[in-house]
Amino acid sequence: MKYPFLSFLFLTITVQAIAQTSLKQQGTTKQLYVHDKPFLILGGELGNSSASNSKYMQPIWPKVKSLHLNTILAPVYWELLEPEEGKFNFDLVDSLIFNARKNDIKLVFLWFGAWKNSMSCYAPAWVKIDQKRFPRAKDKNGTAQEILSPFSANSLNSDIKAFGALMAHIKKVDAKEETVLMIQVENEIGMLPEARDHSDLANAAFSKPVSQKFLSYLKMNKETLLPELKEKWAKNGSKTSGSWEDLFGKSLATDEIFMAWYYADFINQLALAGKQQYNLPMYLNAALNYKKEAKPGEYPSAGPLPHIMDVWKAGAPSIDLLSPDFYNPDFKYWNDLYVRRQNTLFIPEIRFEQGVAAKAFYAIGHYDSMGFSPFSIENGDEKLNKEISGAYKLLNQLKPLILQNQGKGTINGVLFDKTNSKQEVRLGDYIFSFSHDLNLGWSAKAKDENWPLTGGLIIQLAPDEFIIAGTGIVATFKPLKDGSRAGILQIDEGTFEGGKWIPGLRMNGDQDHQGRHLRIPEGDFSIQKVKLYAY
């Protein structure tokens, strides 16, 4: 479908002397800046095919807007952008940008180019059918996979031309408005069903000495390498020259390191070419191991996973963030791994299920996450929509405070289930003992085998004053000073309007258990401001 009205709209835009979206350091984290102001992504990712038809998208816009999100993560498909080699069609891109502006929503574009979930299913037909020009990755038996080999210069150059054309177009139509905030380069890169490509091109690369660029990184960062890579290198003598097996031994782990380096090199060249056209922040997302003990090849190997983060940092310095996609448990475990190496957390994709609200509060509060985005946001049922809407409504109000405090040690978060139902947080002169609301035993749900995920965040406003927001949490208080006790001066439930605190109910009596605790019941969403004193 053509959008003739878009041509007039975009022709009126000038791009001279415009400050584009960027990342800036604040304390221990990076923040996304849009129009020279920090921005927190409260997002939702569309299902894979939803953005492939502009008519299908029309009822989705008001639906997602009602969820209080401020950003949609939307795919851009190579097969539809360049259906014939060298002939580009930006109608879908322009429609997304136009409708996002109309609905006051920002965009993060996901480039479904050479790879999507390991496979090359979004490559155009003219790429897929010409396997001589665009060779496939192969297994040990020589069987071709539905995966373009990253060792092919033709595949890289064609991907670069398409991606570069996309970035140049976004700059032309959007540099002034800054509707498009970031770019995800490819999607969940990884090798299957083995740890590495065994094509002729790959085997030739494997027989060569390890890249001097990678060796320089190893030597420069020898003392600070992450333990997963450091141990493998040290086990073989921390050599500074030789083949991949000389440095890391003969194993599937070595195959994965080798493959990660060449994936990273491909992506680095692709991202650099895109940034030359329009220098937006760019990130990679990873399909996490479905079980920790899985061997390379049993999961999408060599992607931007935490155990090979150093390989990606060395090989793809043009990538700004490495980000986890969540379809497995151990939320805390994986996030802890992704904030190493000064990597700022961004969660671009997470299963849309019970608990997303609690995880959003926790990721943003505890890990200073740049943003959060449930997958297939347009397909949530009534319960899920209510949950994410409740969280985003509060987080939208809290954005100025969150952004002011991230990276400074004055914000934190908590996350609870039945197994992990208590957590201590130290802020200012107090210890906060948080727990799951069902620990009180006041609800019949407390007897259930499983408890719903609950969580929240806390922000310090002053030495004795704090904001606590979330769902299903209880907090008690203790001064750090020995021999004293903490009392509640007041708790107010309220809202922020235009950044100004508007107190509502005074939460006293039964609501604070006669001065014993602050409580947000399970199923409710609330912002409460508490003032404490010591006696």
Side-chain angles (χ1 to χ4, degrees), residues 220-239:
M220 186 179 301
N221 297 279
K222 183 176 182 180
E223 300 306 319
T224 58
L225 289 173
L226 295 176
E228 298 93 331
L229 185 67
K230 187 175 184 179
E231 289 170 7
K232 290 181 175 62
W233 187 36
K235 186 178 180 180
N236 287 275
S238 300
K239 297 183 180 70

Side-chain angles (χ1 to χ4, degrees), residues 396-460:
N396 266 302
Q397 296 176 51
L398 292 167
K399 276 189 304 185
L401 273 178
I402 291 169
L403 292 166
Q404 179 183 337
N405 285 276
Q406 280 187 326
K408 298 180 178 179
T410 50
I411 183 173
N412 211 325
V414 293
L415 180 67
F416 301 122
D417 57 19
K418 191 168 187 176
T419 303
N420 303 286
S421 64
K422 296 181 180 181
Q423 182 183 336
E424 281 193 352
V425 171
R426 297 191 176 200
L427 277 185
D429 296 328
Y430 293 91
I431 298 172
F432 294 80
S433 295
F434 284 94
S435 65
H436 196 298
D437 177 50
L438 296 185
N439 273 323
L440 293 175
W442 295 354
S443 168
K445 291 183 179 179
K447 297 180 180 179
D448 292 348
E449 182 179 352
N450 296 306
W451 288 358
L453 280 174
T454 64
L457 57 77
I458 177 171
I459 303 172
Q460 183 180 3

Side-chain angles (χ1 to χ4, degrees), residues 357-358 361 394 437 453-456 469-473 520-526:
F361 286 120
L394 300 191
D437 177 50
L453 280 174
T454 64
T471 180
I473 56 175
I520 304 174
E522 186 272 321
D524 290 352
F525 291 85
S526 174

Side-chain angles (χ1 to χ4, degrees), residues 210-221 225 229 233 244 247-248 257-258 261 308-315:
V210 173
S211 164
Q212 284 298 318
K213 181 181 175 183
F214 188 33
L215 291 171
S216 295
Y217 180 93
L218 292 174
K219 288 183 282 188
M220 186 179 301
N221 297 279
L225 289 173
L229 185 67
W233 187 36
W244 294 94
L247 264 70
F248 301 107
I257 293 168
F258 158 77
W261 174 258
I308 46 175
M309 184 180 285
D310 272 311
V311 184
W312 278 94
K313 290 288 185 179

Side-chain angles (χ1 to χ4, degrees), residues 64-120:
V64 297
K65 189 171 175 63
S66 72
L67 302 179
H68 301 287
L69 56 73
N70 60 23
T71 307
I72 281 181
L73 283 70
V76 176
Y77 317 96
W78 187 8
E79 64 174 346
L80 298 181
L81 187 83
E82 192 182 9
E84 296 182 54
E85 188 170 7
K87 296 181 180 180
F88 299 100
N89 185 328
F90 297 106
D91 286 353
L92 288 173
V93 172
D94 289 345
S95 176
L96 285 167
I97 293 173
F98 173 80
N99 282 287
R101 290 179 190 168
K102 182 180 177 181
N103 288 278
D104 193 26
I105 290 174
K106 297 296 186 181
L107 292 169
V108 172
F109 277 147
L110 320 178
W111 174 236
F112 285 8
W115 300 291
K116 193 271 177 190
N117 291 61
S118 300
M119 304 302 166
S120 299

Side-chain angles (χ1 to χ4, degrees), residues 39-73:
F39 189 90
L40 180 67
I41 293 176
L42 304 177
E45 182 176 337
L46 297 175
N48 290 164
S49 299
S50 297
S52 66
N53 186 294
S54 54
K55 286 184 178 179
Y56 181 85
M57 280 294 300
Q58 291 311 305
I60 291 177
W61 292 104
K63 181 176 182 179
V64 297
K65 189 171 175 63
S66 72
L67 302 179
H68 301 287
L69 56 73
N70 60 23
T71 307
I72 281 181
L73 283 70

